[in-house]
Amino acid sequence: MNLPGIQVLAFLFSCAMAYATYTAYRKHQFGRGSLALWEAIWTLLGTSSIFPGAFAPIASSLRLARLMDLVVVVGMIVLGAIVFQMYLAVAAMQRKLEALVRARTLEVMEEELEREPVVRTARPRARRAQPSASSGTARASSIRGTIV
Amino acid sequence: MVTAAVVIPARNEAERIETVLRQIPRRLPGLARIEVLVVDDGSQDGTGAAARRQGAIVARHEVNLGAGAALSTGTEAAIRLGADIVVHMDADGQHPPAALRRLLEPLLAGADACSAYRGFDGSMPHLLRLGNRFLGLAARALFGVDHPDTQCAYRAFWSRHWPLLAWRATDYSFATEMLVRARRGGLRWTYVRIPTIYLDAFKGTGVSDGVRIFGNLLRWRLIG
């Protein structure tokens, strides 16, 4: 079998990634479901790089003129799905981190104020009634500017 | 009597924050007391220690979360400390502490909130002036927010409006989100003019922030 260099490179790359995926699984970085998904992706990539003709019927049934078009289209779909998954994961992580940091910040501040109460002079909120903006004689008519 | 808390988000502002804190009046007519609360947003230059030296209460984010998140934390902390009025002020001297009295007067006269606005003159870098105008127009077109300077975060509001105003944005978008929420909630929001001060053209809202804010405006309009 006389394989072009790019096919050999793609095959070696898929093998390396399959090994890296298995190593990550053994380090408990993800579960069996993720292992199966990623190994399937690398196997598919390795197979398609060695036997590109095997996918020709699929390409023709999808009315794609060249096998390369099939690879590009499938690659774009897979990449899009992965990026979307990553976006969701990062956004969720950010929200959790923010909530954690903010809660801890308030907790530490209150602990510090309890230890050194001298800096705190404001009275607790519950001890007095909230002043009303509409009460009293002053009205918004004395205000410069307009309402948003 | 009313208590106010000045909330200052700060990240690596050890050089300037002490000067700003020294200038903040601790007593004003109509107010029992003004607390100063600095939210150290993951600084690595001793900003928190500098603020403490000037008698400020310091709350520290262990990691940098952004100006919006820092002000959100600071506002919640101020309310826990019993503040009736919450004031937001920058740590770098862009917001003159001397204007605090003018900012608070409208609230004591019956307004729900008041914010400062800067003149879009030569003191403001060209690109930022253009960006500010564009974002102001976008906020007006998309939400009907009529404010001369939507990006100026020198603001004061009654703490009872916090549930209505509580923004989700952790970045500079919070300033616009706050105005949008106020508009939707029907708050009486006024504004006062302050001098335009830019001490560091590379700090604060930049071009990428402007793009993000515009993207968020579109998202809030389209998705909610």
Side-chain angles (χ1 to χ4, degrees):
Chain A
M1 192 158 54
N2 189 18
L3 293 173
I6 187 69
Q7 281 181 263
V8 175
L9 274 179
F11 180 72
L12 290 176
F13 174 75
S14 59
C15 287
M17 290 311 295
Y19 177 70
T21 303
Y22 182 68
T23 310
Y25 167 72
R26 291 303 298 264
K27 288 177 182 172
H28 303 289
Q29 289 176 325
F30 48 71
R32 284 184 183 177
S34 298
L35 174 73
L37 175 72
W38 284 105
E39 291 295 1
I41 290 172
W42 303 130
T43 306
L44 203 65
L45 181 66
T47 311
S48 64
S49 58
I50 298 294
F51 308 108
F55 296 89
I58 300 173
S60 62
S61 68
L62 292 171
R63 299 192 177 187
L64 293 169
R66 297 174 304 167
L67 191 62
M68 189 63 195
D69 294 342
L70 176 69
V71 172
V72 169
V73 169
V74 171
M76 296 270 280
I77 290 169
V78 170
L79 276 179
I82 290 169
V83 167
F84 180 65
Q85 280 283 354
M86 284 176 68
Y87 168 76
L88 291 181
V90 170
M93 202 82 80
Q94 272 182 334
R95 279 197 299 274
K96 285 176 193 168
L97 179 69
E98 187 201 336
L100 192 70
V101 170
R102 293 187 56 213
R104 180 72 189 140
T105 299
L106 293 172
E107 202 178 288
V108 169
M109 185 198 75
E110 286 181 339
E111 283 170 10
E112 284 177 357
L113 287 176
E114 271 180 30
R115 280 202 303 271
E116 298 174 49
V118 281
V119 291
R120 184 181 173 180
T121 53
R123 292 160 294 164
R125 187 171 196 76
R127 290 184 193 167
R128 63 183 183 283
Q130 179 74 274
S132 167
S134 57
S135 65
T137 53
R139 287 291 179 266
S141 58
S142 62
I143 298 164
R144 291 177 60 198
T146 60
I147 309 303
V148 164
Chain B
M1 288 287 269
V2 174
T3 302
V6 178
V7 177
I8 304 177
R11 187 184 182 210
N12 296 334
E13 292 288 358
E15 263 183 45
R16 293 188 179 128
I17 198 162
E18 288 196 77
T19 310
V20 172
L21 293 177
R22 272 196 294 270
Q23 292 172 353
I24 297 173
R26 302 302 171 106
R27 289 192 186 280
L28 284 174
L31 296 174
R33 171 82 183 156
I34 298 173
E35 295 278 3
V36 179
L37 202 155
V38 172
V39 182
D40 178 356
D41 195 20
S43 298
Q44 295 170 333
D45 67 345
T47 297
R52 279 196 184 92
R53 279 198 294 275
Q54 295 303 318
I57 298 169
V58 176
R60 176 174 164 79
H61 282 171
E62 286 301 326
V63 292
N64 172 248
L65 292 180
L71 278 170
S72 194
T73 302
T75 302
E76 276 183 32
I79 292 170
R80 285 189 189 194
L81 293 173
D84 301 302
I85 292 175
V86 178
V87 180
H88 293 169
M89 184 188 286
D90 274 2
D92 59 2
Q94 278 197 37
H95 300 156
L100 186 60
R101 182 176 179 166
R102 287 197 298 125
L103 196 70
L104 292 173
E105 275 172 356
L107 268 73
L108 298 174
D112 293 318
C114 179
S115 57
Y117 71 97
R118 302 156 296 184
F120 291 168
D121 52 28
S123 312
M124 187 179 286
H126 290 299
L127 201 57
L128 296 182
R129 198 186 319 162
L130 192 71
N132 278 333
R133 281 192 192 283
F134 174 75
L135 290 174
L137 286 172
R140 181 178 297 185
L142 293 169
F143 295 98
V145 169
D146 182 20
H147 195 287
D149 188 359
T150 55
Q151 300 311 302
C152 182
Y154 195 10
R155 296 172 176 176
F157 57 93
W158 289 98
S159 61
R160 64 169 176 274
H161 297 309
W162 172 237
L164 179 80
L165 293 172
W167 51 89
R168 290 182 190 168
T170 56
D171 56 11
Y172 288 109
S173 304
F174 85 90
T176 314
E177 186 183 347
M178 196 178 175
L179 292 176
V180 170
R181 286 176 178 274
R183 168 76 181 172
R184 284 176 171 168
L187 293 193
R188 285 169 299 171
W189 196 299
T190 69
Y191 40 86
V192 294
R193 173 82 184 255
I194 59 166
T196 309
I197 304 168
Y198 272 91
L199 300 168
D200 189 339
F202 296 98
K203 280 200 170 185
T205 315
V207 176
S208 59
D209 297 304
V211 172
R212 200 175 300 126
I213 292 167
F214 182 63
N216 280 334
L217 277 169
L218 289 176
R219 186 164 58 86
W220 297 330
R221 179 74 277 173
L222 297 172
I223 303 171

